[in-house]
Amino acid sequence: MIEFLKINNKNGFYKGGDELSQLANHYETDKGTANSLDLSWGEDFPNHRCMHYTNTYEKYMSLKKNEPISMLEIGVCDKRFPYASIKMWMSYFKDIDFYAVDNFWGHKIDDKVDDIKQLNEQGVNFIYGDQGSFEDWDALNEAFPAKFDFLVEDGSHWPNHMMISLWKSIGVMKQGGYFFMEDIQNPLKSRGWFKYDNALIAQELLETLSTKKLYSSFLNDEQNKQVEASFELVDMVLDPSGVNYLAVFKRK
């Protein structure tokens, strides 16, 4: 894990008043509600749709939009719309201490030095790290104990990485904070569509909604006990295309 801390405390993105979906559509992240074919990347990626996640995010975040908050997002450099979600979050919250985590999959960090410098100048903290690395997570926990009000997991989408992130985030989340896990495949529709197949996570989380017992096949017994003692699954929202779920966990 390598930290690149912001060098400007002023949030130049914030103007105030806009709803999250408006901002998502403006910055062209797929978290929003736009018709993707109307966006600059839509023609090149015609099979990719916007997920309407911002409707759920607004539900859990709106009460804090004018309060000081800390937020961490894993996965911010999608080649279709790089750093778009950062701009959205920075524009939505009036007083946000934002940490972006990415490992620039397919690129060396030297290729992204200018990008990181620009983010730091815009008031964004950047962490070069791997969500699948226990070592990086241990460093995060040491550096940021009980810091974050919101954590958005939108990284590799590999199921083991996703569940490791939930488990390892226990120490960095504030009590009452929310952890959001994006792009969990619908086992009834999109199982096996992508090289990462994380549909089993959705299957087990849907069972959790009825049994109230939080369990993952991608964690061992002790890890599952820690997750269940630390988080409550409060929501599972399917995108309009029926492809992916957004899961919402609350830190106990």
Side-chain angles (χ1 to χ4, degrees):
M1 183 188 92
I2 307 174
E3 293 180 60
F4 299 86
L5 298 181
K6 61 186 177 183
I7 57 177
N8 181 4
N9 287 319
K10 184 178 180 181
N11 181 357
F13 290 103
Y14 182 77
K15 301 295 187 294
D18 289 330
E19 294 182 354
L20 197 56
S21 292
Q22 290 176 299
L23 295 167
N25 299 341
H26 173 71
Y27 290 115
E28 300 198 350
T29 169
D30 67 347
K31 301 183 194 306
T33 57
N35 181 338
S36 58
L37 296 177
D38 294 332
L39 304 180
S40 61
W41 50 266
E43 187 174 340
D44 292 330
F45 301 93
N47 294 322
H48 191 71
R49 297 286 183 265
C50 291
M51 303 297 177
H52 293 231
Y53 292 156
T54 46
N55 292 330
T56 301
Y57 282 125
E58 188 105 41
K59 174 181 175 182
Y60 291 98
M61 295 179 173
S62 61
L63 291 178
K64 287 187 173 289
K65 66 183 299 184
N66 295 312
E67 299 178 10
I69 65 107
S70 293
M71 184 175 187
L72 182 145
E73 182 173 18
I74 301 169
V76 296
C77 192
D78 191 301
K79 64 182 179 181
R80 295 164 293 198
F81 32 84
Y83 315 119
S85 61
I86 294 177
K87 298 170 186 176
M88 175 188 72
W89 300 125
M90 295 288 286
S91 299
Y92 183 69
F93 289 104
K94 184 177 183 179
D95 187 0
I96 182 172
D97 189 18
F98 188 86
Y99 289 76
V101 178
D102 210 296
N103 65 353
F104 299 126
W105 187 83
H107 294 272
K108 295 180 180 179
I109 190 172
D110 291 345
D111 301 333
K112 301 293 184 178
V113 169
D114 290 342
D115 287 5
I116 295 171
K117 181 181 178 181
Q118 185 176 23
L119 290 172
N120 289 161
E121 290 173 347
Q122 292 171 332
V124 176
N125 303 290
F126 183 84
I127 296 173
Y128 181 70
D130 182 348
Q131 73 174 123
S133 166
F134 282 30
E135 210 172 85
D136 285 354
W137 271 109
D138 289 343
L140 275 171
N141 273 276
E142 184 176 350
F144 307 113
K147 178 175 178 63
F148 297 107
D149 299 277
F150 303 114
L151 194 155
V152 175
E153 189 283 312
D154 186 20
S156 71
H157 303 325
W158 290 99
N160 54 324
H161 290 175
M162 297 166 80
M163 294 310 301
I164 285 169
S165 296
L166 181 64
W167 169 54
K168 280 293 194 177
S169 74
I170 292 171
V172 302
M173 295 292 300
K174 287 181 182 178
Q175 186 176 11
Y178 288 96
F179 180 107
F180 301 88
M181 185 181 290
E182 293 192 2
D183 300 338
I184 315 171
Q185 290 163 261
N186 179 1
L188 298 179
K189 182 171 182 177
S190 54
R191 187 190 293 273
W193 280 16
F194 310 107
K195 60 184 178 181
Y196 56 83
D197 189 345
N198 60 40
L200 182 56
I201 292 180
Q203 182 177 324
E204 292 177 338
L205 291 180
L206 289 169
E207 291 175 5
T208 296
L209 289 177
S210 57
T211 66
K212 306 304 179 185
K213 182 175 175 57
L214 193 52
Y215 172 85
S216 173
S217 297
F218 299 99
L219 299 174
N220 64 34
D221 288 345
E222 181 57 32
Q223 292 164 350
N224 272 306
K225 287 179 183 177
Q226 292 176 18
V227 168
E228 188 170 29
S230 303
F231 285 105
E232 175 190 2
L233 176 65
V234 295
D235 219 343
M236 285 279 288
V237 183
L238 189 62
D239 79 86
S241 299
V243 175
N244 289 318
Y245 281 96
L246 171 64
V248 185
F249 301 85
K250 187 174 184 178
R251 180 71 168 88
K252 295 179 181 177

